[in-house]
Amino acid sequence: MARQTPAPEGVSGMDDCSDGHAGQALPVAAARERLSALVAPVTDTEVVALAQLPGRVLAEAVSSPIAVPGADNSAMDGYALRADDLAEDVRLEVIATIYAGHPFQGQVGPRQAVRIFTGAPVPEGADTVVMQEHVAVDPDGRIGFTRLPRPGDNIRPAGEDIPLGAEVMGPGTLLRAAEIGVLASIGHDRALVYRRPRVAVLATGDELVPPGQPLAPGQIHDSNSATLGAMLWRLGVEVVDLGRAGDDPQTLERLFRDAAARCDAIVTSGGVSVGDADHVMPTLKRIGELHLWKIAMRPGRPLAFGRIDRCWFFGLPGNPVSVMATFHQIVQPALQRMMGMAPRPPLTLRATLQGGLRKKPGRTEFSRGILGHGEDGRLVVASAGRQGSGILSSMIRANCFIVVPQDSGSLEDGAEVDVQPFDGFVW
């Protein structure tokens, strides 16, 4: 299969990355920047029809072969006329009616007007449109004015939206509704986009049981695979579900090698600590390249990052909220880079904290919060309750992360804080 471009020279073994496990924990921003800088974009491209473009990333610059609109047209239902004829006592002869898509072949002369509808091309000779609400129609069909427009009013000039030959978007553009609409408006029914990266998902741990199967004592249902799959799908990559793997090095090696042969990245959950049953790191180190970083964030701390051949590897913690937090803060920007677009920082707003938050300095904390409006209309936010990294249901109650800086301690009621709304960020 076609693969990614090699990593830049000098980072093939990632020797320029500090090992955050043995030393000081990396700040969140530093970890995000390092991964985004190291991960190589997918360069394979394909031509995709307009209806299948949502969520894809443009692979080339697009210029407009036409002007939009293609001709001066009316912004209102009304009457097109010559500005020289604008006077309170004038009466104009209506010589035609023009609808959108049906140009008038004649010319508007002195003391003449045409009935025109929104979107219809303005005929030769006319340079102003008066709204129909500001026109009085005489019994003989001539028109006068109840309010005079300014010369040039209510006309959308040719090329007002997009001039002929203008570059409308460049490579790396994420194609959403507006971008796809613009492509359609300039006549494109398809576009050249980057191939979707293939990202394998694997949950590790002997205690995991697929949803739908009964639990034996000490077992839990695997929620991380479903959560990661949904976040990756929302991001726009091709998801390859590897299922679950027990705490067995041989099984992990087989799954890792298989995924590396057909995928661009692997994202795992669990097994990245240093316990006797944590085999993800030793396996990755044996068959590929490994860096274990301590990230100065909560929830989430250890992150195994590396590569097997040319397949990137992201090993996340096992607790479900840690999975969501580390994915969105650290892994998602790297995958956006892999998709061919510039990583977009999460939307951050300022809000007034209600009730205070307990925190120790040393890690950036992403507390689950409930964001809303106070009585004065300004944004306020309060804790969504217990903040344990295993309380996944708290992500349903919350609608934002409250971001408390690394060096900050506890915050009092009324403090101003940064918040990251989940809408458009966590899905």
Side-chain angles (χ1 to χ4, degrees):
M1 100 181 182
R3 301 311 302 270
Q4 298 171 243
T5 54
E9 185 176 355
V11 299
S12 61
M14 296 177 283
D15 294 331
D16 61 341
C17 294
S18 300
D19 190 332
H21 183 61
Q24 184 177 6
L26 287 171
V28 173
R32 184 185 296 133
E33 290 171 5
R34 289 191 181 190
L35 264 68
S36 296
L38 285 170
V39 170
V42 168
T43 57
D44 310 323
T45 60
E46 57 186 346
V47 176
V48 173
L50 202 68
Q52 281 72 52
L53 284 178
R56 303 302 296 267
V57 179
L58 195 64
E60 64 179 358
V62 174
S63 298
S64 180
I66 60 173
V68 180
D72 294 354
N73 70 89
S74 178
M76 298 285 179
D77 291 348
Y79 293 83
L81 46 85
R82 300 158 56 96
D84 290 346
D85 289 332
L86 290 173
E88 292 183 356
D89 58 350
V90 73
R91 291 294 182 270
L92 304 182
E93 177 189 5
V94 179
I95 61 172
T97 297
I98 309 175
Y99 297 92
H102 299 277
F104 176 56
Q105 301 303 322
Q107 180 173 338
V108 177
R111 297 294 179 105
Q112 291 181 334
V114 294
R115 181 77 165 101
I116 195 168
F117 291 91
T118 302
V122 177
E124 185 178 350
D127 57 14
T128 302
V129 171
V130 59
M131 297 170 58
Q132 62 185 15
E133 294 89 339
H134 300 159
V135 169
V137 181
D138 294 342
D140 63 0
R142 293 178 178 269
I143 62 168
F145 310 115
T146 60
R147 184 187 301 178
L148 292 177
R150 294 170 300 183
D153 267 3
N154 303 318
I155 291 181
R156 297 183 289 215
E160 178 186 45
D161 185 5
I162 303 171
L164 171 66
E167 182 176 314
V168 295
M169 59 192 83
T173 300
L174 177 64
L175 298 177
R176 298 162 295 184
E179 289 81 4
I180 294 168
V182 167
L183 288 174
S185 75
I186 62 175
H188 285 242
D189 64 347
R190 61 199 65 239
L192 183 72
V193 295
Y194 292 113
R195 171 178 61 80
R196 292 184 188 272
R198 300 181 186 93
V199 181
V201 176
L202 176 69
T204 68
D206 284 343
E207 75 279 15
L208 298 180
V209 174
Q213 296 186 12
L215 297 175
Q219 293 182 328
I220 60 173
H221 287 302
D222 170 25
S223 63
N224 285 341
S225 293
T227 302
L228 279 169
M231 292 188 294
L232 288 165
W233 178 87
R234 179 69 168 83
L235 184 61
V237 303
E238 181 182 332
V239 182
V240 179
D241 185 4
L242 299 181
R244 285 144 292 279
D247 298 317
D248 174 62
Q250 287 73 34
T251 301
L252 283 175
E253 179 173 343
R254 175 179 57 79
L255 289 170
F256 287 174
R257 289 189 184 278
D258 176 66
R262 57 194 179 103
C263 296
D264 302 288
I266 302 170
V267 182
T268 67
S269 59
V272 293
S273 295
V274 292
D276 292 341
D278 294 321
H279 298 295
V280 169
M281 293 187 303
T283 302
L284 179 60
K285 191 172 183 179
R286 185 171 65 253
I287 67 174
E289 302 165 355
L290 167 69
H291 273 255
L292 178 66
W293 294 345
K294 283 190 302 184
I295 311 297
M297 66 178 289
R298 181 184 181 202
R301 185 161 185 164
L303 174 73
F305 173 67
R307 194 168 57 190
I308 303 171
D309 296 328
R310 299 170 78 180
C311 178
W312 298 99
F313 185 96
F314 305 90
L316 308 185
N319 285 320
V321 181
S322 298
V323 166
M324 296 195 74
T326 53
F327 178 87
H328 281 286
Q329 299 299 333
I330 308 296
V331 178
Q332 178 168 284
L335 294 180
Q336 288 175 329
R337 164 76 171 152
M338 186 181 296
M339 294 170 68
M341 62 178 169
R344 297 175 298 160
L347 173 66
T348 301
L349 308 174
R350 295 289 283 178
T352 302
L353 181 64
Q354 295 182 326
L357 279 176
R358 296 178 59 186
K359 178 185 178 295
K360 295 180 180 179
R363 288 195 279 178
T364 300
E365 204 157 289
F366 297 90
S367 297
R368 283 134 278 170
I370 300 174
L371 181 66
H373 289 91
E375 293 181 357
D376 59 359
R378 291 186 296 180
L379 289 175
V380 295
V381 66
S383 171
R386 295 192 302 165
Q387 296 291 320
S389 59
I391 305 175
L392 183 57
S393 61
S394 64
M395 292 294 290
I396 298 176
R397 293 190 294 273
N399 63 2
C400 71
F401 282 132
I402 305 171
V403 185
V404 187
Q406 181 173 334
D407 296 334
S408 175
S410 296
L411 300 177
E412 297 182 354
D413 179 75
E416 292 295 308
V417 294
D418 287 336
V419 296
Q420 294 176 351
F422 287 172
D423 285 347
F425 173 51
V426 173
W427 193 91

